[in-house]
């Protein structure tokens, strides 16, 4: 089975621009979660989608948004980029929502904002 | 809110030796899941081991085992017969069970411990 894929792997954007990151979960997985990883803040939860519905959202400004499609693929959007948004964005998929289901991570998208 | 603390920013071990990584957490819940993830330089997060809080028996996966002390809210990872490929950042993480309310799907991570393995 193919693993979680994320595109693009690397991205360089300018302050004020917006960006869309994509995540394709493992086949059959219906839950997709997004995390931001930075040296200063560590790994922080952004949001989780399950069956096209946002189940939970972390403590991030409204500039961060996401969605999930009927095939479980998910996109994350960041508008009006700031320098502090530079980070590794990780996506994880699982069969269902909740702790009983293991999360499998993708390789991440490295976003650099200049 | 749940918190996870890893008090060892860096650890080192000689190849073939044993090392233990520490993790403590804070929660008011009685049922939850705990995980250790490994993140090598490739940045791919890999699940190493998982523990269910309602199980008293410590989880074991080959050379990896945990010491789960529920009352002390402690969850350490022991790596036996360390190999060069074990060198990575290790994260301890907490996750709520599949219950109602918020925090669905949310993994709460510790700050991470960088493990160096010396040949």
């Amino acid at each position: 089975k193919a693993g979680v894929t994320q595109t693009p792997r690397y991205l360089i954007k300018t302050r004020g621009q917006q960006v869309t990151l994509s995540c394709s979960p493992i086949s059959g997985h219906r839950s997709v979660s997004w995390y931001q990883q930075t040296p200063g803040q560590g790994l922080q939860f952004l949001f989780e989608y399950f069956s096209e519905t946002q189940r939970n959202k972390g403590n991030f400004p409204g500039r961060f948004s996401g969605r999930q499609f009927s095939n479980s693929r998910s996109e994350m959007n960041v508008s009006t980029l700031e320098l502090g948004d530079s980070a590794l964005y990780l996506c994880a998929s699982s069969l269902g929502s909740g702790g009983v289901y293991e999360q499998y991570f993708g390789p991440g998208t490295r976003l650099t904002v200049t | 809110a749940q918190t996870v603390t890893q008090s060892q920013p860096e650890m080192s071990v000689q190849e073939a030796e044993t090392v233990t990584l520490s993790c403590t957490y804070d929660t008011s819940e009685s049922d939850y899941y705990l995980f250790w993830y490994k993140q090598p330089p490739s940045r791919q997060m890999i699940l190493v081991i998982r523990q269910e809080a309602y199980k008293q028996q410590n989880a074991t996966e080959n050379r990896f085992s945990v010491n789960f002390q529920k009352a002390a809210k402690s969850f350490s990872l022991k790596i036996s017969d360390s190999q060069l490929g074990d060198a990575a950042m290790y994260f301890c993480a907490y996750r709520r069970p599949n219950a109602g309310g918020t925090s669905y799907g949310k993994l709460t991570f510790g700050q991470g411990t960088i493990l160096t393995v010396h040949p």
Side-chain angles (χ1 to χ4, degrees):
Chain A
K1 230 182 215 184
V4 178
T5 58
Q6 291 186 246
T7 55
R9 293 291 311 278
Y10 302 91
L11 206 49
I12 300 176
K13 289 286 189 179
T14 305
R15 266 184 307 176
Q17 289 185 315
Q18 75 166 22
V19 67
T20 299
L21 311 182
S22 179
C23 172
S24 293
I26 292 171
S27 178
H29 285 196
R30 296 167 62 193
S31 171
V32 173
S33 297
W34 289 89
Y35 296 85
Q36 180 196 63
Q37 186 176 19
T38 61
Q41 299 298 317
L43 279 152
Q44 293 187 289
F45 173 77
L46 279 156
F47 28 64
E48 188 212 10
Y49 286 87
F50 179 74
S51 293
E52 302 178 64
T53 302
Q54 186 180 88
R55 282 298 192 92
N56 193 23
K57 191 178 194 304
N59 190 24
F60 279 82
R63 301 185 296 106
F64 291 81
S65 63
R67 59 178 176 169
Q68 186 179 35
F69 302 94
S70 58
N71 62 357
S72 295
R73 188 178 70 86
S74 177
E75 287 182 348
M76 190 194 105
N77 185 76
V78 187
S79 62
T80 319
L81 283 166
E82 300 177 0
L83 294 179
D85 297 333
S86 294
L88 179 69
Y89 289 89
L90 294 167
C91 158
S93 79
S94 57
L95 276 171
S97 185
V100 67
Y101 298 102
E102 292 181 7
Q103 289 195 331
Y104 297 85
F105 283 81
T109 293
R110 169 74 66 184
L111 172 65
T112 302
V113 182
T114 62
Chain B
Q2 296 82 20
T3 58
V4 178
T5 302
Q6 293 177 249
S7 58
Q8 306 155 317
E10 295 183 34
M11 291 284 284
S12 65
V13 64
Q14 291 292 133
E15 201 176 0
E17 298 291 304
T18 296
V19 65
T20 299
L21 309 184
S22 301
C23 172
T24 58
Y25 58 95
D26 187 25
T27 182
S28 59
E29 306 191 9
S30 60
D31 192 20
Y32 46 86
Y33 295 84
L34 296 167
F35 306 85
W36 278 98
Y37 279 90
K38 168 186 176 180
Q39 188 178 44
S42 68
R43 297 306 219 174
Q44 177 85 49
M45 292 283 273
I46 302 163
L47 178 63
V48 174
I49 200 164
R50 155 187 153 143
Q51 175 77 44
E52 293 149 4
Y54 63 86
K55 289 187 177 179
Q56 293 187 343
Q57 187 174 5
N58 289 324
T60 299
E61 287 287 342
N62 301 314
R63 298 182 295 106
F64 299 88
S65 61
V66 299
N67 183 6
F68 173 49
Q69 302 289 328
K70 191 172 184 179
K73 296 180 182 175
S74 170
F75 182 60
S76 61
L77 174 70
K78 186 171 84 170
I79 306 174
S80 304
D81 186 25
S82 296
Q83 300 175 0
L84 295 177
D86 295 334
M89 174 87 90
Y90 285 81
F91 291 96
C92 177
Y94 169 102
R95 196 174 185 202
R96 285 187 61 188
N98 195 24
T102 60
S103 303
Y104 271 111
K106 173 184 176 180
L107 275 167
T108 299
F109 287 92
Q111 305 92 318
T113 297
I114 298 172
L115 177 66
T116 302
V117 182
H118 299 289

